[in-house]
């Protein structure tokens, strides 16, 4: 697993954080990056007491007094780690907090681990993380190695380009263009399909692809629209999202294969927080601020 950050990606994260902090003084008033989280609007989650679930993973976590959750660190509004405070924020982070609360763990009892896209199945199956919550598409290939609870959100692959880009307008216009995507991610697989004819650059961190778009090394970054809108919102004068979504990416909580009791408990938690309004509140205070629209929360089916 790659827990260390390359200097390049750290620099981009710092740049993103710095732009957010200084309110985008460089651009015109309309170019101001939006705050990632409306802290005051976040729901608070009641921590369940005496949780009894016949789950080996959960029992270990209870003994430890901490639940280990795999997250993303470089996806603004979804899973983002502030490099100065080390604090994680975003919609996926709120999903993690609500699930943890129903399993009996407060936010303080969550041990966060940053896990890149290509390392997720291994992190879950080896037990390096108890749950993986980070823009994690449920698909049959991954289900051979791990289980999911969800989906709790649907995204779709799209394209991020420079604001002044004219040629790349959607997936039908990437022939011969340089397109960056992430090792181990579903949109990478999609964009490599010969019908698109793209010249694909494969990197392991989103922030690295974003900096390549910004400095013109590649023409576009392809991944989920929800992620791309976050980058566009953080770089309003510089980046834009183009094209209609061209895949379905149902997000699930990844967990150890065969731990059926934990899978049910997580699915029940997701459903409960949809029903009590926390989900909507959390969405509006995080991802909704980047321009992503709240769709009807999907039915939790993966039990
Ligand atoms: N949702 C896609 C996936 O699970 C892309 C986003 C990501 O890399 O996390 O592969």
């Amino acid at each position: 697993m790659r827990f260390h950050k390359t200097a390049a990606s750290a620099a981009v994260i710092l740049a993103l954080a710095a732009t957010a902090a200084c309110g985008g003084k460089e651009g015109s008033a309309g170019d101001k990056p939006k705050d990632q989280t409306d802290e005051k609007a976040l729901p608070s989650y009641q921590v369940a007491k005496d949780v009894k679930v016949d789950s080996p993973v959960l029992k270990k976590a209870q003994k430890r007094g901490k639940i280990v959750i795999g997250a993303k660190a470089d996806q603004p509004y979804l899973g983002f780690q502030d490099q100065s405070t080390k604090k994680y924020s975003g919609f996926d982070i709120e999903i993690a907090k609500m699930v943890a609360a129903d399993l009996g763990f407060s936010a303080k009892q969550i041990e966060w681990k940053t896990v890149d896209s290509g390392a997720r199945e291994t992190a879950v199956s080896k037990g390096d993380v108890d749950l993986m919550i980070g823009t994690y598409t449920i698909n049959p290939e991954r289900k051979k190695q791990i289980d999911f609870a969800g989906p709790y959100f649907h995204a779709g692959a799209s394209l991020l380009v420079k604001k002044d880009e004219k040629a790349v307008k959607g997936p039908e216009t990437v022939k011969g263009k340089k397109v960056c995507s992430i090792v181990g991610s579903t949109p990478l697989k999609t964009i490599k399909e010969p019908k698109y004819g793209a010249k694909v650059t494969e990197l392991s961190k989103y922030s690295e692809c974003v900096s390549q778009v910004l400095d013109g090394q590649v023409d576009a970054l392809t991944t989920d629209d929800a992620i791309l809108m976050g980058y566009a919102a953080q770089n309003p004068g510089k980046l834009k999202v183009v094209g209609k979504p061209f895949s379905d990416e149902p997000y699930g909580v990844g967990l150890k294969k065969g731990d059926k009791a934990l899978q049910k408990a997580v699915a029940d938690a997701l459903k409960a927080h949809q029903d009590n309004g926390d989900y909507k509140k959390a969405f509006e205070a995080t991802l909704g601020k980047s321009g992503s629209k709240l769709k009807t929360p999907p039915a939790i089916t993966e039990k």
Side-chain angles (χ1 to χ4, degrees), residues 72 75 117 120 134-138 142 155 182-187 206 223-224 227 249 251:
K72 292 296 180 69
Q75 296 174 343
S117 295
R120 290 177 293 197
T135 62
Y136 204 3
T137 297
I138 302 169
R142 290 174 178 164
I182 302 303
V183 177
S185 75
T186 44
Y206 281 96
T223 191
D224 304 345
I227 302 171
E249 309 289 337
Y251 289 176

mmCIF file of all heavy atoms in Angstrom, residues 72 75 117 120 134-138 142 155 182-187 206 223-224 227 249 251, ligand 1:
data_model
loop_
_atom_site.group_PDB
_atom_site.id
_atom_site.type_symbol
_atom_site.label_atom_id
_atom_site.label_comp_id
_atom_site.label_asym_id
_atom_site.label_seq_id
_atom_site.Cartn_x
_atom_site.Cartn_y
_atom_site.Cartn_z
ATOM 1 N N LYS A 72 -9.881 8.381 1.031
ATOM 2 C CA LYS A 72 -9.099 9.151 0.060
ATOM 3 C C LYS A 72 -8.660 10.453 0.723
ATOM 4 O O LYS A 72 -9.353 10.958 1.623
ATOM 5 C CB LYS A 72 -9.934 9.467 -1.178
ATOM 6 C CG LYS A 72 -10.272 8.246 -2.018
ATOM 7 C CD LYS A 72 -9.002 7.642 -2.591
ATOM 8 C CE LYS A 72 -9.288 6.433 -3.428
ATOM 9 N NZ LYS A 72 -9.965 6.694 -4.662
ATOM 10 N N GLN A 75 -9.258 14.126 -2.684
ATOM 11 C CA GLN A 75 -10.487 14.387 -3.438
ATOM 12 C C GLN A 75 -11.313 15.444 -2.704
ATOM 13 O O GLN A 75 -12.086 15.128 -1.790
ATOM 14 C CB GLN A 75 -11.310 13.106 -3.594
ATOM 15 C CG GLN A 75 -10.612 12.041 -4.416
ATOM 16 C CD GLN A 75 -11.376 10.745 -4.445
ATOM 17 O OE1 GLN A 75 -12.263 10.514 -3.627
ATOM 18 N NE2 GLN A 75 -11.036 9.884 -5.372
ATOM 19 N N SER A 117 -6.546 4.265 -5.016
ATOM 20 C CA SER A 117 -7.528 3.419 -5.705
ATOM 21 C C SER A 117 -7.022 2.003 -5.967
ATOM 22 O O SER A 117 -7.710 1.027 -5.703
ATOM 23 C CB SER A 117 -7.931 4.068 -7.030
ATOM 24 O OG SER A 117 -8.591 5.277 -6.763
ATOM 25 N N ARG A 120 -6.978 -0.687 -2.857
ATOM 26 C CA ARG A 120 -8.130 -0.889 -1.977
ATOM 27 C C ARG A 120 -8.479 -2.346 -1.683
ATOM 28 O O ARG A 120 -8.653 -2.716 -0.508
ATOM 29 C CB ARG A 120 -9.353 -0.157 -2.560
ATOM 30 C CG ARG A 120 -9.206 1.344 -2.464
ATOM 31 C CD ARG A 120 -10.358 2.083 -3.100
ATOM 32 N NE ARG A 120 -10.413 1.906 -4.544
ATOM 33 C CZ ARG A 120 -11.109 2.697 -5.350
ATOM 34 N NH1 ARG A 120 -11.833 3.681 -4.861
ATOM 35 N NH2 ARG A 120 -11.107 2.492 -6.654
ATOM 36 N N GLY A 134 -14.298 5.271 -0.001
ATOM 37 C CA GLY A 134 -13.623 6.267 -0.830
ATOM 38 C C GLY A 134 -13.950 6.074 -2.295
ATOM 39 O O GLY A 134 -13.246 5.349 -2.996
ATOM 40 N N THR A 135 -15.062 6.681 -2.725
ATOM 41 C CA THR A 135 -15.505 6.673 -4.140
ATOM 42 C C THR A 135 -15.323 5.285 -4.763
ATOM 43 O O THR A 135 -14.825 5.149 -5.878
ATOM 44 C CB THR A 135 -14.732 7.730 -4.969
ATOM 45 O OG1 THR A 135 -13.333 7.439 -4.980
ATOM 46 C CG2 THR A 135 -14.958 9.141 -4.440
ATOM 47 N N TYR A 136 -15.767 4.284 -4.038
ATOM 48 C CA TYR A 136 -15.432 2.893 -4.358
ATOM 49 C C TYR A 136 -16.574 2.226 -5.128
ATOM 50 O O TYR A 136 -17.594 1.842 -4.544
ATOM 51 C CB TYR A 136 -15.169 2.163 -3.038
ATOM 52 C CG TYR A 136 -14.289 0.947 -3.105
ATOM 53 C CD1 TYR A 136 -13.690 0.549 -4.290
ATOM 54 C CD2 TYR A 136 -14.036 0.203 -1.960
ATOM 55 C CE1 TYR A 136 -12.871 -0.565 -4.325
ATOM 56 C CE2 TYR A 136 -13.219 -0.904 -1.974
ATOM 57 C CZ TYR A 136 -12.638 -1.288 -3.174
ATOM 58 O OH TYR A 136 -11.827 -2.382 -3.202
ATOM 59 N N THR A 137 -16.384 2.097 -6.428
ATOM 60 C CA THR A 137 -17.422 1.513 -7.280
ATOM 61 C C THR A 137 -17.602 0.016 -7.015
ATOM 62 O O THR A 137 -16.623 -0.743 -7.022
ATOM 63 C CB THR A 137 -17.052 1.733 -8.765
ATOM 64 O OG1 THR A 137 -17.039 3.130 -9.010
ATOM 65 C CG2 THR A 137 -18.034 1.040 -9.703
ATOM 66 N N ILE A 138 -18.857 -0.358 -6.813
ATOM 67 C CA ILE A 138 -19.195 -1.773 -6.636
ATOM 68 C C ILE A 138 -19.190 -2.412 -8.031
ATOM 69 O O ILE A 138 -19.887 -1.926 -8.927
ATOM 70 C CB ILE A 138 -20.621 -1.923 -6.045
ATOM 71 C CG1 ILE A 138 -20.736 -1.186 -4.705
ATOM 72 C CG2 ILE A 138 -21.011 -3.397 -5.921
ATOM 73 C CD1 ILE A 138 -22.175 -1.057 -4.183
ATOM 74 N N ARG A 142 -14.456 -6.726 -8.436
ATOM 75 C CA ARG A 142 -14.028 -6.450 -7.058
ATOM 76 C C ARG A 142 -14.749 -7.363 -6.075
ATOM 77 O O ARG A 142 -14.190 -7.724 -5.033
ATOM 78 C CB ARG A 142 -14.290 -4.971 -6.725
ATOM 79 C CG ARG A 142 -13.352 -4.056 -7.486
ATOM 80 C CD ARG A 142 -13.677 -2.599 -7.304
ATOM 81 N NE ARG A 142 -12.708 -1.767 -8.033
ATOM 82 C CZ ARG A 142 -12.884 -0.495 -8.318
ATOM 83 N NH1 ARG A 142 -13.999 0.124 -7.950
ATOM 84 N NH2 ARG A 142 -11.968 0.172 -8.981
ATOM 85 N N ALA A 155 -22.189 7.855 -9.157
ATOM 86 C CA ALA A 155 -21.452 8.846 -9.955
ATOM 87 C C ALA A 155 -21.346 8.289 -11.375
ATOM 88 O O ALA A 155 -21.864 7.204 -11.669
ATOM 89 C CB ALA A 155 -20.070 9.071 -9.356
ATOM 90 N N ILE A 182 -6.423 6.907 -13.235
ATOM 91 C CA ILE A 182 -5.778 6.358 -12.041
ATOM 92 C C ILE A 182 -5.696 4.831 -12.039
ATOM 93 O O ILE A 182 -6.693 4.142 -12.285
ATOM 94 C CB ILE A 182 -6.571 6.831 -10.800
ATOM 95 C CG1 ILE A 182 -6.611 8.365 -10.753
ATOM 96 C CG2 ILE A 182 -5.988 6.276 -9.509
ATOM 97 C CD1 ILE A 182 -5.251 9.033 -10.748
ATOM 98 N N VAL A 183 -4.507 4.346 -11.708
ATOM 99 C CA VAL A 183 -4.258 2.907 -11.626
ATOM 100 C C VAL A 183 -5.297 2.239 -10.716
ATOM 101 O O VAL A 183 -5.559 2.732 -9.614
ATOM 102 C CB VAL A 183 -2.833 2.662 -11.046
ATOM 103 C CG1 VAL A 183 -2.567 1.169 -10.878
ATOM 104 C CG2 VAL A 183 -1.779 3.315 -11.925
ATOM 105 N N GLY A 184 -5.888 1.172 -11.199
ATOM 106 C CA GLY A 184 -6.832 0.415 -10.373
ATOM 107 C C GLY A 184 -8.220 1.020 -10.312
ATOM 108 O O GLY A 184 -9.059 0.554 -9.554
ATOM 109 N N SER A 185 -8.488 2.059 -11.126
ATOM 110 C CA SER A 185 -9.825 2.670 -11.089
ATOM 111 C C SER A 185 -10.644 2.210 -12.295
ATOM 112 O O SER A 185 -10.086 1.844 -13.340
ATOM 113 C CB SER A 185 -9.731 4.199 -11.064
ATOM 114 O OG SER A 185 -9.380 4.697 -12.340
ATOM 115 N N THR A 186 -11.950 2.238 -12.140
ATOM 116 C CA THR A 186 -12.837 1.794 -13.225
ATOM 117 C C THR A 186 -12.796 2.740 -14.437
ATOM 118 O O THR A 186 -12.796 2.262 -15.566
ATOM 119 C CB THR A 186 -14.271 1.590 -12.699
ATOM 120 O OG1 THR A 186 -14.603 2.692 -11.856
ATOM 121 C CG2 THR A 186 -14.382 0.326 -11.896
ATOM 122 N N PRO A 187 -12.738 4.082 -14.244
ATOM 123 C CA PRO A 187 -12.679 4.945 -15.430
ATOM 124 C C PRO A 187 -11.408 4.741 -16.267
ATOM 125 O O PRO A 187 -11.414 4.972 -17.470
ATOM 126 C CB PRO A 187 -12.745 6.365 -14.842
ATOM 127 C CG PRO A 187 -13.443 6.176 -13.544
ATOM 128 C CD PRO A 187 -12.933 4.870 -13.026
ATOM 129 N N TYR A 206 -4.787 11.060 -7.757
ATOM 130 C CA TYR A 206 -5.590 12.031 -8.506
ATOM 131 C C TYR A 206 -4.882 13.370 -8.624
ATOM 132 O O TYR A 206 -4.890 14.010 -9.666
ATOM 133 C CB TYR A 206 -6.967 12.201 -7.856
ATOM 134 C CG TYR A 206 -7.853 11.061 -8.242
ATOM 135 C CD1 TYR A 206 -7.997 9.951 -7.421
ATOM 136 C CD2 TYR A 206 -8.479 11.050 -9.473
ATOM 137 C CE1 TYR A 206 -8.757 8.872 -7.814
ATOM 138 C CE2 TYR A 206 -9.240 9.977 -9.871
ATOM 139 C CZ TYR A 206 -9.382 8.888 -9.036
ATOM 140 O OH TYR A 206 -10.120 7.822 -9.450
ATOM 141 N N THR A 223 -12.314 10.606 -14.653
ATOM 142 C CA THR A 223 -12.775 9.788 -13.533
ATOM 143 C C THR A 223 -14.207 10.215 -13.223
ATOM 144 O O THR A 223 -14.862 10.871 -14.040
ATOM 145 C CB THR A 223 -11.844 9.877 -12.303
ATOM 146 O OG1 THR A 223 -12.252 8.842 -11.383
ATOM 147 C CG2 THR A 223 -11.896 11.222 -11.595
ATOM 148 N N ASP A 224 -14.706 9.842 -12.043
ATOM 149 C CA ASP A 224 -16.096 10.129 -11.687
ATOM 150 C C ASP A 224 -16.383 11.632 -11.681
ATOM 151 O O ASP A 224 -15.578 12.427 -11.160
ATOM 152 C CB ASP A 224 -16.398 9.572 -10.291
ATOM 153 C CG ASP A 224 -16.113 8.086 -10.200
ATOM 154 O OD1 ASP A 224 -15.970 7.448 -11.259
ATOM 155 O OD2 ASP A 224 -16.031 7.573 -9.078
ATOM 156 N N ILE A 227 -15.922 13.548 -8.408
ATOM 157 C CA ILE A 227 -14.537 13.882 -8.051
ATOM 158 C C ILE A 227 -14.071 15.084 -8.873
ATOM 159 O O ILE A 227 -13.486 16.043 -8.349
ATOM 160 C CB ILE A 227 -13.602 12.676 -8.310
ATOM 161 C CG1 ILE A 227 -14.060 11.448 -7.516
ATOM 162 C CG2 ILE A 227 -12.152 13.032 -8.001
ATOM 163 C CD1 ILE A 227 -13.329 10.156 -7.863
ATOM 164 N N GLU A 249 -21.196 4.516 -11.799
ATOM 165 C CA GLU A 249 -20.253 4.200 -10.714
ATOM 166 C C GLU A 249 -21.008 4.207 -9.385
ATOM 167 O O GLU A 249 -21.116 5.228 -8.717
ATOM 168 C CB GLU A 249 -19.119 5.242 -10.669
ATOM 169 C CG GLU A 249 -18.408 5.513 -11.991
ATOM 170 C CD GLU A 249 -17.518 4.368 -12.478
ATOM 171 O OE1 GLU A 249 -17.088 3.546 -11.639
ATOM 172 O OE2 GLU A 249 -17.269 4.293 -13.699
ATOM 173 N N TYR A 251 -21.317 3.782 -5.644
ATOM 174 C CA TYR A 251 -20.355 3.761 -4.538
ATOM 175 C C TYR A 251 -20.827 2.847 -3.396
ATOM 176 O O TYR A 251 -21.961 2.940 -2.942
ATOM 177 C CB TYR A 251 -20.155 5.161 -3.952
ATOM 178 C CG TYR A 251 -19.401 6.129 -4.837
ATOM 179 C CD1 TYR A 251 -19.248 7.445 -4.432
ATOM 180 C CD2 TYR A 251 -18.836 5.739 -6.050
ATOM 181 C CE1 TYR A 251 -18.547 8.363 -5.219
ATOM 182 C CE2 TYR A 251 -18.137 6.653 -6.842
ATOM 183 C CZ TYR A 251 -18.002 7.957 -6.417
ATOM 184 O OH TYR A 251 -17.314 8.859 -7.189
HETATM 185 N N1 LIG B 1 -15.268 5.098 -8.620
HETATM 186 C C1 LIG B 1 -14.143 4.720 -9.423
HETATM 187 C C2 LIG B 1 -13.471 3.495 -8.863
HETATM 188 O O1 LIG B 1 -13.894 2.980 -7.880
HETATM 189 C C3 LIG B 1 -13.172 5.833 -9.642
HETATM 190 C C4 LIG B 1 -12.840 6.638 -8.452
HETATM 191 C C5 LIG B 1 -11.713 6.065 -7.637
HETATM 192 O O2 LIG B 1 -10.623 5.825 -8.162
HETATM 193 O O3 LIG B 1 -11.916 5.900 -6.469
HETATM 194 O O4 LIG B 1 -12.535 2.985 -9.414
#
